[in-house]
Amino acid sequence: MIQALIDLLQAKIAECGLEVLSRYPDDLLVHDRAMLERHAFPGATLAWMVGHCHTHFCVLGIHPEENVGVTYLTNLAAEDRFFVITVGAGHARLTELDRQAFSALATTPVLYKADGTTTDYWLSRRNGRVGHIALEPVGGWQDRSYRVSITPISGISEMDRGALQLWGSKSVAKASGSLFTRFEIEWQPAVAALKAA
């Protein structure tokens, strides 16, 4: 599925006459591929901006900071093109948007919410818990990293697993005050659904 999506994006880049694959191929083929492997799950909606020198993704409806990210992408270059990608089971649909419609994606409803502190919380979707996230700092101040322990609820969807991973990474940035803090995610065995407090 991921390779088919990369092929679709490469074809669109060529159709639009953009030079990113000749200038910075790793932007799509390495960095974006890694993001897609984590977040292009069935049910996902992705905002994609591509230009001559860059490509950027935001995962919509999962975390508020990702939604807001689309507004930052609308003013990078005049030649940039804007798309929304809806991911299904084994397929994806790519739709081009104008700059204003792309910016409006920031209002996509966020399906998940956290209950707890930045470093220890339950993540819920539609009032049902999907898992628990706990952060533990590792190392001293000069070599600080985080261990992110994720305990999913049994039977959650791929989208819920992707949301847990995204929220965990966003929590590291918030706890550390930096987007560049290293972290490692450790998935714990799934637990039975618990009633919300």
Side-chain angles (χ1 to χ4, degrees), residues 18-31:
L18 298 170
E19 299 173 2
V20 68
L21 289 174
S22 60
R23 293 181 183 183
Y24 303 101
D26 284 357
D27 228 19
L28 178 71
L29 303 177
V30 175
H31 305 295

Side-chain angles (χ1 to χ4, degrees), residues 1-183:
M1 167 65 192
I2 299 303
Q3 186 57 51
L5 184 50
I6 291 288
D7 292 345
L8 177 67
L9 301 179
Q10 286 180 295
K12 185 54 72 173
I13 288 168
E15 178 187 316
C16 293
L18 298 170
E19 299 173 2
V20 68
L21 289 174
S22 60
R23 293 181 183 183
Y24 303 101
D26 284 357
D27 228 19
L28 178 71
L29 303 177
V30 175
H31 305 295
D32 287 351
R33 176 185 291 276
M35 190 286 309
L36 291 170
E37 288 171 352
R38 287 189 307 273
H39 300 295
F41 39 76
T45 303
L46 309 170
W48 179 48
M49 182 277 290
V50 60
H52 288 303
C53 298
H54 46 237
T55 78
H56 298 282
F57 280 96
C58 294
V59 184
L60 300 173
I62 304 293
H63 193 284
E65 290 177 19
E66 283 288 304
N67 278 17
V68 171
V70 299
T71 61
Y72 308 140
L73 300 177
T74 58
N75 296 309
L76 295 181
E79 302 85 14
D80 290 343
R81 304 288 287 268
F82 305 95
F83 301 88
V84 65
I85 301 167
T86 51
V87 181
H91 68 280
R93 188 178 70 221
L94 182 66
T95 305
E96 187 162 10
L97 303 175
D98 65 23
R99 201 172 294 262
Q100 184 176 357
F102 186 83
S103 184
L105 294 173
T107 63
T108 301
V110 175
L111 304 174
Y112 295 88
K113 65 177 183 169
D115 181 26
T117 67
T118 299
T119 59
D120 188 350
Y121 59 93
W122 285 96
L123 189 66
S124 298
R125 178 180 184 193
R126 295 191 188 110
N127 298 325
R129 289 179 170 172
V130 297
H132 182 261
I133 298 173
L135 276 60
E136 178 185 348
V138 178
W141 289 108
Q142 291 183 334
D143 63 344
R144 175 65 43 103
S145 66
Y146 281 84
R147 183 176 303 116
V148 181
S149 177
I150 299 177
T151 306
I153 298 294
S154 296
I156 62 171
S157 68
E158 285 184 62
M159 186 168 173
D160 293 334
R161 287 183 69 82
L164 285 164
Q165 187 163 319
L166 181 61
W167 276 79
S169 66
K170 294 289 187 184
S171 296
V172 169
K174 187 171 184 180
S176 69
S178 171
L179 296 173
F180 305 106
T181 303
R182 292 178 295 117
F183 64 92

